[in-house]
Amino acid sequence: MTAIHYTVEAANLHAHLFHIRLTIAQPQATQTVSLPVWIPGSYLVREFAKNLQNLSAKQGRRSAAITQRDKCTWDIACKPGQPVVLSYEVYAFDNSVRTAWLDSQRGFFNGTSVCLRVHGQEDAPHQLQLTAVKSHPNWQAATGLAPVKIDKKGFGLYQAAHYDELVDCPVELGTFWSGSFMACGVPHRFVVAGALPSFDGERLLADTQKICEAAIAFWHGQGKAAGKKTPHKNYLFMLNAVHDGYGGLEHRNSTALICNRTDLPRQTKPHRNEGYTTLLGLISHEYFHTWNVKQLRPDAFARYDYTQENFTQLLWFFEGFTSYYDDILLRRADLIDDSTYIQLLGKAIAQVQQTPGRHVQSVAQASFDAWVKYYRQDENTPNATVSYYTKGSLVALCLDLKLRSEFKTEGYTLDTVMRGLWRRCKAGPMREQDLLDELQALTGRSWQKEMQAWVHSTHELPLRELLSAHGIQVEAETSAMAQRLGLRVNEGAGSVLVKAVLRGSAAEAAGLAAGDEWLGLDVGAKGQGGSWRLGKLDELPALMGQERQLTAWVSRDKRLLRLRLTVPAQASQWRLSMPADRATGQWPRI
């Protein structure tokens, strides 16, 4: 008998309950079990144990006593030498990539949400039995786990070398669409739940294949010989198409994705739209993580501690550098052109420049604080923190352009550094010093000054200087009214609802606050321009004419407030462009 064996049954679809039976072949006299409080890749304590119920334990016909130790840990009193069987249910109604979901249309779960960890036996072999859903005979199952004995629909027995592998292979259940392709000789499968009838699966497969081949070529070179060097022998993409949603979570040989149905390619629309390009960028991002965070990982993740936060200052590298390369791989796969790539780069720069928190928090601090700030965003988030995804990607850009400038003759790029880090650290954890050491070994000089300025301080990045040196024109264009006023808003149904007020802005000076509903305005210092209902911020120029003074009518806690607001002169933001004759520019082949 395998040391640890789980049987997972979709027991009650309408009640959203999975039933789990856990058999421990050789329990300790006091066998401790626990459910993780977080899932690797999503840096927030989510308390998965809140969804666990009806836990019981038996050895043969005898009930074993259970004592709860804390919020997610239990001690089982066992007789030595006799298997113990735990039975429990998990409520699954979170339609995200992080936890578990079950209804009459679809099932999904991550092991961190449903599989209790058997303390002291984490490194023993683990098996997972997926039980077919009798009420839904057309359902299938898909997972990155290694099959032992399964049927044509994917139900049956799977094997994991240890607990970490078990919970790093999510499971998809339902009547999903499925397609396959080979990338450098490595089998890949794509399953999609919730797609519209017009969904063009063949185009999604073809485009994803190009992304995977570009990523494998990045790390290992071209062709089947490169495929033999990948850390995965097969790969599974699981995509949940919904009315409104976006996100992804990387795993060792799979990824869970969620997107809007309308972002999927359609047979009736052969041209790639912005939503589909965004989806391809997400696919590229999560697939790149197969190397950069799942294998090449920070020392804090050398062995996951599932009981608490696992702090690291390196998310700017593992998430930020991955964010830099996700769009570059789309370009290398010829899924976007140079112009589109430059637009995406400009969007990332604008996001950072429009975040006052970049003056408050370094990107290294943002990485460490992810557990309490990035994943717990509120109205003050843009004023207090900076995204380690977006600014981290710009740190990667600066490093890449700096290398290309200084070492043009040698042909050094950030690609060279990343592949060097793979050789240096793939067998063990990576530290910031490893990046510095790799840069010094490659270039013969210290990069400590750049690391301090770009990563550990709140200084502005030298973006304009580096971009201009590579032939990218940096011009000013008029920013939108929301940015001009220093507001982030929700607009809909003729209403302007304030989400956030940016630090040092005109809106802050006027006294606007998150949660305010901006109803209307009096134009002019004395209202001489009339009173108007406001439906969208972009209506302001037409309503105000040449005036810059107005009185905003705001609803706050059912009270009507009149706030004096001075609209700033036209603010500008960067617009990046490439010379019409690219051959005359300095921009390198990316």
Side-chain angles (χ1 to χ4, degrees), residues 413-486:
T413 71
L414 187 57
D415 295 9
T416 320
V417 176
M418 296 297 288
R419 287 191 282 267
L421 281 171
W422 174 256
R423 292 188 295 271
R424 180 186 290 263
C425 302
K426 67 178 179 180
M430 178 194 147
R431 300 170 179 84
E432 185 176 306
Q433 189 60 47
D434 291 307
L435 174 58
L436 288 168
D437 290 346
E438 186 63 30
L439 284 164
Q440 174 122 23
L442 180 68
T443 66
R445 77 164 179 87
S446 171
W447 290 75
Q448 186 66 54
K449 181 180 177 180
E450 287 86 354
M451 194 69 63
Q452 179 61 36
W454 300 349
V455 172
H456 294 282
S457 81
T458 57
H459 297 159
E460 297 285 13
L461 297 174
L463 291 165
R464 182 187 292 272
E465 168 193 339
L466 290 170
L467 288 167
S468 297
H470 286 83
I472 295 300
Q473 298 171 355
V474 182
E475 301 170 342
E477 68 177 3
T478 303
S479 58
M481 182 56 70
Q483 184 61 27
R484 194 169 156 189
L485 294 175

Side-chain angles (χ1 to χ4, degrees), residues 102-388:
L102 184 64
D103 70 358
S104 60
Q105 304 301 307
R106 171 181 177 263
F108 171 83
F109 66 85
N110 287 286
T112 45
S113 289
V114 303
C115 295
L116 286 167
R117 179 168 63 95
V118 181
H119 290 217
Q121 301 191 49
E122 292 91 343
D123 293 329
H126 286 55
Q127 286 189 337
L128 176 69
Q129 180 81 32
L130 294 177
T131 303
V133 184
K134 294 181 179 178
S135 62
H136 289 61
N138 292 329
W139 274 29
Q140 306 170 72
T143 179
L145 287 169
V148 177
K149 186 178 181 181
I150 62 174
D151 62 22
K152 292 187 294 184
K153 294 183 181 295
F155 292 100
L157 186 62
Y158 292 87
Q159 180 87 15
H162 41 66
Y163 183 78
D164 282 350
E165 181 178 343
L166 175 79
V167 299
D168 207 13
C169 295
V171 175
E172 178 75 26
L173 304 170
T175 54
F176 46 74
W177 175 92
S178 177
S180 300
F181 61 87
M182 301 291 286
C184 301
V186 179
H188 290 68
R189 184 185 182 193
F190 214 127
V191 301
V192 181
L196 296 169
S198 60
F199 164 56
D200 189 345
E202 294 306 313
R203 181 144 58 110
L204 179 64
L205 289 179
D207 291 345
T208 303
Q209 180 184 31
K210 293 177 182 178
I211 292 170
C212 295
E213 289 176 343
I216 293 172
F218 174 89
W219 292 102
H220 306 297
Q222 301 285 342
K224 290 187 177 181
K228 294 178 180 179
K229 301 176 184 178
T230 64
H232 52 289
K233 301 308 175 188
N234 52 70
Y235 197 89
L236 173 66
F237 294 94
M238 292 171 283
L239 173 61
N240 181 25
V242 297
H243 173 66
D244 185 20
Y246 175 81
L249 190 60
E250 70 276 1
H251 299 280
R252 63 178 54 210
N253 70 334
S254 63
T255 184
L257 308 164
I258 188 168
C259 76
N260 292 352
R261 290 189 184 95
T262 53
D263 289 343
L264 289 172
R266 281 177 273 178
Q267 297 167 353
T268 54
K269 292 188 176 182
H271 299 294
R272 189 178 298 117
N273 59 30
E274 183 177 351
Y276 183 44
T277 299
T278 300
L279 172 59
L280 292 177
L282 177 65
I283 291 169
S284 177
H285 183 98
E286 303 304 339
Y287 193 68
F288 197 82
H289 270 318
T290 310
W291 292 266
N292 195 38
V293 87
K294 299 311 296 184
Q295 297 290 325
L296 191 65
R297 62 172 66 184
D299 56 351
F301 297 168
R303 188 67 186 261
Y304 296 122
D305 182 348
Y306 295 103
T307 68
Q308 61 183 352
E309 298 91 341
N310 291 210
F311 293 101
T312 177
Q313 287 194 349
L314 284 173
L315 294 182
W316 60 268
F317 177 87
F318 290 101
E319 292 292 355
F321 279 42
T322 299
S323 296
Y324 176 61
Y325 275 108
D326 56 24
D327 289 336
I328 285 181
L329 290 184
L330 294 188
R331 179 66 194 95
R332 292 179 182 175
D334 287 323
L335 294 170
I336 58 175
D337 57 19
D338 285 338
S339 177
T340 302
Y341 174 74
I342 294 301
Q343 289 176 13
L344 293 171
L345 196 59
K347 183 178 179 180
I349 292 172
Q351 288 175 354
V352 173
Q353 289 180 331
Q354 294 170 9
T355 303
R358 75 187 191 281
H359 298 304
V360 176
Q361 187 183 53
S362 73
V363 74
Q365 292 171 325
S367 300
F368 197 84
D369 285 342
W371 300 85
V372 295
K373 291 191 176 181
Y374 185 83
Y375 280 89
R376 291 177 175 167
Q377 297 194 15
D378 58 24
E379 70 284 346
N380 193 49
T381 293
N383 297 318
T385 188
V386 67
S387 168
Y388 51 79

Side-chain angles (χ1 to χ4, degrees), residues 11-12 16-21 35 49 51-56 87-92 113-114:
N12 191 327
H16 318 293
L17 291 174
F18 284 107
H19 180 264
I20 298 93
R21 189 169 67 253
L35 201 64
N51 293 318
L52 189 147
Q53 61 190 47
N54 291 330
L55 176 63
S56 63
S87 176
Y88 57 97
E89 295 170 331
V90 169
Y91 177 70
S113 289
V114 303

